[in-house]
Amino acid sequence: MNDKVIICEELTKRFGDFIAVNHISFDVRKGEIFGFLGANGAGKTTAMRILCGLSFPTSGKATVAGFDVYKQQESIKKNIGYMSQKFSLYENLTVVENIEFFGGVYGLSSAEIRRRSDRLVNKLGLTQEARKLVRSLPLGWKQKLAFSVAIFHDPQIVFLDEPTGGVDPITRRQFWDMIYEAAATGITVFVTTHYMDEAEYCNRITVMVDGKVEALDTPGNLKARYQAASMDEVFYQLARGAKRSAD
Amino acid sequence: MNAVVLDHITKTYDAGKVLAVDDVSLQVAAGELFGLIGPDGAGKTSIFRILTTLLLPDKGHAAVNGLDCVKDYKAIRRSVGYMPGRFSLYQDLTVAENLHFFATLFGTTIEANYSLIKDIYEQIKPFSGRRAGKLSGGMKQKLALCCALVHKPEVLFLDEPTTGVDAVSRKEFWEMLKTLKQQGITIVVSTPYMDEAVLCERIALIQDGRIMSVDTPAKVVAAFPVKLYAVKAADIYRLLTSLRGDNSISSCYAFGEYVHVTFRDEAAHDLQAWQQTLAAQGHEQVEVKIISPSIEDSFIRLMQEKQNAQP
């Protein structure tokens, strides 16, 4: 059985003369927590959009959950989950309505949605809040709900785009508990973050610089290779040479 | 004289239903680099908006450079610079046009105080003809800082200038702040990144509208009341799970590659014995040590104490 859920080979995306993603190659294994780091403008978002089936590459190969990024974008979308700090839930829908909405978007049956929805609400301890608007929830609860909704349809991979920005340090850690738990059940986690201590929580990390994968290894090996005490130092050594800066 | 004074400031929204700032008092000395450290929703932006006279407090008194934030709002607006958390320049004006516009608003010229912004502006000067909306995040941030400085303010308010900015640009930004401080400007800056707290002279740790601690970063961590242990093993999640089941542990949470642990009764704990216990439980490559806490450890500790104090 193939345990590689993401395979990229020489994946490239050009916008005119600008090479946003420049021949990147890497594999992500099933159940792995894979950290995707890079300075602003390094090409992370562009690469992530391709892997989520939202944008076509210019050249190179990639499969996500076994589906081709050129030909099977719709199948990719059905087999992944996505969450970002910027967009994750509808604030003016209730907790249950959000769950029903996302469950429906991912094609689960009404009966299945109801069954899983009850279980999820219980697990999150949101029974009292189930019929309240998401807007009224504290940020930490929203984060947990957003993550749970992103993996509600049991995707093979969940993409997390800076999921913990601005969150207090305790909630941030509770959030990582949920990530560990999901990974332990076999869901692959592909995560970007600006918090370098969170980079340490990943099994493996890539650092993108100017469209290329500059480094890819475990946090421990990267620190050893760059003789750095922390991932912050590793990142700084790699990214300070960057020529590009864009969002 | 203190450059900034907050005296029992309270601010609510939604007709009193949302308590954003809860009886906050603090002082910032002239020329100080002061940090408001806390997550989203802590009340940082409300405090900035009260100090920049854009919002009226429900209760309490606030002053900037001895001027009252309610009565003397016009004079305060002339003498402070404010960089809001959201990019608030004119997206369809060019870099040069934005800067010129802000200079004109304050009745000055770009040239008049050029020495103040020179180092920062020269970095974006090659793009002076580009529309602000087309700039990268790092360049937008530099332009916004220039616009906030163009009238040579006495106090500079920066609301989360480094949020969403990568680690390299964040370091550069803090270097710029140090240079500005040397020119005598009082700087009040907020950030959700705890590692940036040590770059300030004094900090306020803020959570749910309340100040948990105000002091120098060194004194904040020195006030950590117990010994802090760091432990790691090959499988960190398994380690964390088994530590949570240990009743002698008062708190444990992941911190980078380690788990940070405090004990209920630390006298009873010997490092070597503990390491052996963990190894006997099947944890591999166990490493344990006593460490000095960081600001983030202090923040977590203060949050936990507050939560435990609540009924």
Side-chain angles (χ1 to χ4, degrees):
Chain A
M1 203 192 109
N2 192 346
D3 76 336
K4 289 174 182 168
V5 291
I6 299 176
I7 303 170
C8 286
E9 281 172 39
E10 302 286 317
L11 195 68
T12 299
K13 176 80 178 187
R14 289 172 183 269
F15 296 104
D17 291 338
F18 182 72
I19 309 175
V21 175
N22 194 351
H23 295 87
I24 63 170
S25 303
F26 60 83
D27 300 331
V28 182
R29 292 186 286 263
K30 182 175 160 61
E32 186 169 33
I33 303 174
F34 191 83
F36 201 57
L37 311 183
N40 299 345
K44 294 193 305 285
T45 304
T46 306
M48 211 151 147
R49 284 178 57 82
I50 295 170
L51 297 177
C52 290
L54 298 171
S55 164
F56 287 111
T58 311
S59 63
K61 284 194 253 177
T63 60
V64 176
F67 299 104
D68 185 272
V69 293
Y70 292 92
K71 295 183 204 138
Q72 297 171 297
Q73 284 194 332
E74 291 311 308
S75 304
I76 289 177
K77 287 179 201 163
K78 283 187 188 133
N79 283 280
I80 63 167
Y82 176 84
M83 174 198 164
S84 81
Q85 166 73 6
K86 291 182 195 97
F87 171 78
S88 41
L89 297 169
Y90 290 96
E91 299 261 305
N92 50 358
L93 294 183
T94 66
V95 169
V96 168
E97 283 168 346
N98 265 288
I99 296 173
E100 286 170 352
F101 175 80
F102 283 99
V105 164
Y106 283 109
L108 299 181
S109 71
S110 306
E112 185 65 17
I113 291 172
R114 255 197 314 279
R115 197 175 63 78
R116 292 193 193 192
S117 174
D118 289 345
R119 204 170 56 193
L120 176 59
V121 166
N122 278 328
K123 187 184 150 201
L124 293 175
L126 288 175
T127 326
Q128 302 284 320
E129 287 77 17
R131 302 280 162 199
K132 284 191 187 155
L133 295 185
V134 160
R135 186 194 298 137
S136 68
L137 296 183
L139 184 67
W141 291 10
K142 275 188 214 169
Q143 299 278 128
K144 287 173 208 163
L145 180 62
F147 181 71
S148 306
V149 163
I151 59 169
F152 190 66
H153 58 296
D154 289 331
Q156 295 189 48
I157 305 156
V158 63
F159 288 88
L160 305 174
D161 195 1
E162 289 178 35
T164 56
V167 177
D168 73 67
I170 292 183
T171 306
R172 209 149 68 76
R173 286 171 173 81
Q174 289 169 348
F175 190 82
W176 272 89
D177 271 354
M178 297 186 78
I179 293 181
Y180 278 129
E181 200 186 309
T185 67
I187 295 179
T188 305
V189 180
F190 189 100
V191 58
T192 73
T193 180
H194 283 311
Y195 291 100
M196 288 302 134
D197 61 322
E198 292 187 348
E200 306 268 9
Y201 305 157
C202 300
N203 299 119
R204 284 191 307 152
I205 292 163
T206 56
V207 181
M208 273 190 83
V209 180
D210 290 347
K212 294 182 184 155
V213 168
E214 257 334 288
L216 167 57
D217 214 326
T218 63
N221 288 347
L222 286 175
K223 280 183 285 183
R225 185 175 322 146
Y226 293 94
Q227 299 182 345
S230 65
M231 273 310 298
D232 195 38
E233 272 178 47
V234 171
F235 183 83
Y236 191 69
Q237 283 188 39
L238 283 164
R240 79 182 154 190
K243 304 275 188 297
R244 284 179 4 198
S245 90
D247 274 320
Chain B
M1 188 189 65
N2 283 318
V4 173
V5 176
L6 288 168
D7 186 16
H8 296 286
I9 288 286
T10 295
K11 176 70 195 174
T12 62
Y13 298 107
D14 275 358
K17 274 186 277 179
V18 179
L19 182 57
V21 180
D22 186 4
D23 196 27
V24 163
S25 299
L26 59 86
Q27 293 88 38
V28 178
E32 197 170 23
L33 174 52
F34 188 92
L36 279 177
I37 316 293
D40 288 0
K44 307 189 297 290
T45 299
S46 296
I47 291 174
F48 277 119
R49 293 177 65 87
I50 289 167
L51 288 170
T52 51
T53 76
L54 301 172
L55 201 61
L56 295 172
D58 295 6
K59 277 186 251 167
H61 170 255
V64 174
N65 280 335
L67 298 163
D68 185 276
C69 286
V70 178
K71 284 197 305 247
D72 307 321
Y73 71 95
K74 282 187 181 165
I76 289 181
R77 288 178 189 185
R78 277 193 294 271
S79 63
V80 303
Y82 176 40
M83 184 171 155
R86 229 174 244 179
F87 183 67
S88 308
L89 303 181
Y90 291 93
Q91 311 260 3
D92 46 6
L93 293 185
T94 65
V95 168
E97 284 166 347
N98 264 295
L99 193 57
H100 180 69
F101 174 79
F102 280 94
T104 311
L105 270 188
F106 287 103
T108 182
T109 59
I110 298 174
E111 294 74 26
N113 305 307
Y114 192 67
S115 64
L116 191 61
I117 59 168
K118 183 171 176 286
D119 289 345
I120 309 161
Y121 190 58
E122 307 248 296
Q123 298 174 46
I124 50 172
K125 219 174 176 182
F127 310 96
S128 61
R130 191 180 287 187
R131 288 184 185 190
K134 298 280 177 199
L135 293 176
S136 72
M139 286 198 283
K140 275 183 183 162
Q141 185 199 41
K142 283 171 188 153
L143 176 59
L145 185 57
C146 286
C147 290
L149 283 169
V150 72
H151 58 298
K152 200 173 186 200
E154 290 167 60
V155 184
L156 183 60
F157 294 102
L158 305 168
D159 194 1
E160 296 205 14
T162 55
T163 292
V165 175
D166 67 68
V168 174
S169 308
R170 278 166 53 193
K171 277 204 172 77
E172 283 175 10
F173 194 83
W174 280 94
E175 287 302 319
M176 289 188 259
L177 293 193
K178 262 190 226 162
T179 314
L180 288 173
K181 186 198 139 49
Q182 282 160 8
Q183 306 195 43
I185 298 178
T186 307
I187 303 172
V188 182
V189 57
S190 70
T191 178
Y193 298 104
M194 307 277 152
D195 56 343
E196 293 183 343
V198 292
L199 303 167
C200 302
E201 288 170 283
R202 277 196 315 138
I203 52 172
L205 301 185
I206 177 165
Q207 164 79 3
D208 289 339
R210 293 199 77 114
I211 304 265
M212 300 192 296
S213 173
V214 186
D215 218 324
T216 64
K219 283 187 183 155
V220 168
V221 295
F224 198 82
V226 292
K227 266 191 200 140
L228 185 65
Y229 296 77
V231 49
K232 75 172 175 181
D235 184 344
I236 205 88
Y237 184 54
R238 227 194 104 218
L239 176 69
L240 198 53
T241 315
S242 82
L243 292 174
R244 282 195 184 128
D246 183 341
N247 278 332
S248 67
I249 287 174
S250 151
S251 80
C252 65
Y253 47 87
F255 205 106
E257 63 183 313
Y258 290 90
V259 175
H260 286 186
V261 173
T262 60
F263 289 102
R264 290 183 206 285
D265 177 13
E266 58 198 27
H269 275 273
D270 170 62
L271 275 184
Q272 254 186 337
W274 188 31
Q275 181 161 4
Q276 281 161 6
T277 312
L278 290 169
Q281 287 168 0
H283 296 290
E284 289 163 21
Q285 296 161 43
V286 178
E287 184 191 324
V288 294
K289 57 183 179 182
I290 294 171
I291 56 161
S292 340
S294 67
I295 295 289
E296 189 152 349
D297 290 301
S298 299
F299 199 98
I300 291 172
R301 176 90 192 173
L302 289 164
M303 269 182 83
Q304 285 167 341
E305 282 172 1
K306 206 175 68 173
Q307 281 165 3
N308 293 342
Q310 277 163 3

